Amino acid sequence: MSPVAALRRPLQEDLSGFVALLRRLEVPHRVSEERDTQVLWVPAEALAEQVRELYLRYPRGVAEEEVPTPVRPQRPGIAAHLRASPLTTAMLLLTLLVALLSFGGSNFEVVRWLSFQDFQIQGRYIHFQPWLETLHGGQWWRLFSPMLIHFGPLHLAMNALWYWELGRRIEARQGGLVLLGLTLTFALLSNFAQYAHGGPSLFGGLSGVLYGLLGYCWIFRLLAPTPAYVLPRGVLAMMLIWLVVCLTGVIDTLFGSIANAAHVGGLLAGCAAGLVGGALARLRR
């Protein structure tokens, strides 16, 4: 669950009394600084609304004997999560639509319109149109669209879950336009990396974008700590270990070809973007 900013107050304002009140009420919270503002974060929007109401009544806190009724966190439903992350939701719905239309990547008449290069299947062979010819034909969407192709339900489910986890964090912290820009940038660079490494081939999936988002959150948080980019314990290590295992070729042998160059390219692009974004955020503070 992504943290929600319940309050934004001037840096010179003393929030110690109100924070002490939240501690006595056992309200989960965290305070951070952003430029000349102090931000009070809570786990969910429903709780944030209660905290704002509490602040209006007791901005400086109260004596212990006057502590009001404890604020109880309310777990938001799935509809609230979807409304809070419209860009993340739209991307996942578009990916699901493509998966349904392409029958999980098995309908090549649909897949060929989204692949990095156009292709034709003749018997047991696949013939790719030269990449520059594809672009000269005005099919620029192919630079990005392979991220929407998934081969099978497991491929789709794993990538969708990770995009939901990482995408909505960035959308909550920096907005939908930033998430859209990062998604398209990482898709473009990871697709180029895979094409440069493997040549003409059929590849797809959000994995390159996911490693980009992972690298972005990782490096951004190192430079400008923010609760929104605190990943569950062990996630970063697990994703990096999985990347190394894939690079050994073991997964290719067991499950088929993996777009390793797209993963590495996405991760490097994400780290670079996180370096820039984190440095700018640190300067603003």
Side-chain angles (χ1 to χ4, degrees):
M1 182 180 299
S2 300
V4 176
L7 292 175
R8 293 181 182 272
R9 305 301 303 165
L11 196 59
Q12 62 270 21
E13 181 175 332
D14 184 6
L15 281 179
S16 60
F18 185 70
V19 168
L21 174 60
L22 294 181
R23 290 199 192 99
R24 294 203 295 273
L25 294 175
E26 299 183 354
V27 177
H29 65 280
R30 182 191 299 268
V31 179
S32 65
E33 293 182 7
E34 296 181 3
R35 300 186 66 180
D36 56 350
T37 304
Q38 48 189 330
V39 185
L40 192 149
W41 303 86
V42 294
E45 180 59 39
L47 181 58
E49 293 178 2
Q50 296 180 64
V51 169
R52 294 182 194 115
E53 293 176 4
L54 189 66
Y55 177 79
L56 292 176
R57 295 170 56 195
Y58 307 101
R60 301 184 182 280
V62 293
E64 187 142 2
E65 61 273 12
E66 300 172 343
V67 172
T69 303
V71 177
R72 300 300 181 188
Q74 298 179 3
R75 185 179 295 274
I78 184 63
H81 282 304
L82 296 177
R83 287 194 300 270
S85 308
L87 194 283
T88 306
T89 301
M91 182 62 66
L92 292 179
L93 289 176
L94 181 58
T95 303
L96 176 60
L97 177 62
V98 170
L100 293 175
L101 293 176
S102 66
F103 297 106
S106 62
N107 184 346
F108 291 111
E109 287 302 313
V110 174
V111 170
R112 65 181 288 259
W113 285 103
L114 300 172
S115 59
F116 195 69
Q117 297 169 267
D118 194 7
F119 62 85
Q120 297 289 337
I121 295 180
Q122 298 178 0
R124 299 174 60 184
Y125 298 95
I126 181 170
H127 300 275
F128 289 94
Q129 181 180 2
W131 180 68
L132 288 178
E133 289 185 19
T134 301
L135 292 187
H136 288 160
Q139 300 178 22
W140 294 91
W141 69 84
R142 294 183 184 274
L143 297 174
F144 311 96
S145 57
M147 70 177 177
L148 301 175
I149 305 171
H150 287 84
F151 302 99
L154 182 60
H155 188 206
L156 173 65
M158 292 297 295
N159 282 353
L161 285 173
W162 281 116
Y163 191 84
W164 173 253
E165 178 65 33
L166 295 169
R168 65 195 180 98
R169 289 173 180 272
I170 296 174
E171 186 170 9
R173 173 66 175 77
Q174 295 182 271
L177 288 179
V178 170
L179 175 60
L180 178 61
L182 292 175
T183 297
L184 294 178
T185 300
F186 298 153
L188 175 68
L189 296 178
S190 62
N191 289 338
F192 266 119
Q194 184 60 37
Y195 176 76
H197 178 266
S201 59
L202 182 58
F203 59 87
L206 275 167
S207 302
V209 173
L210 295 178
Y211 271 101
L213 299 181
L214 178 71
Y216 180 80
C217 291
W218 175 25
I219 302 301
F220 188 107
R221 180 173 171 266
L222 289 178
L223 295 175
T226 173
Y229 295 165
V230 177
L231 300 175
R233 187 181 300 274
V235 164
L236 178 62
M238 182 190 70
M239 294 284 282
L240 295 179
I241 291 172
W242 174 254
L243 176 61
V244 173
V245 171
C246 288
L247 290 173
T248 65
V250 173
I251 304 301
D252 290 37
T253 303
L254 296 175
F255 301 105
S257 181
I258 301 293
N260 291 316
H263 296 173
V264 175
L267 179 63
L268 293 177
C271 290
L275 182 64
V276 174
L280 291 175
R282 189 181 185 92
L283 287 174
R284 286 196 297 269
R285 292 180 185 181

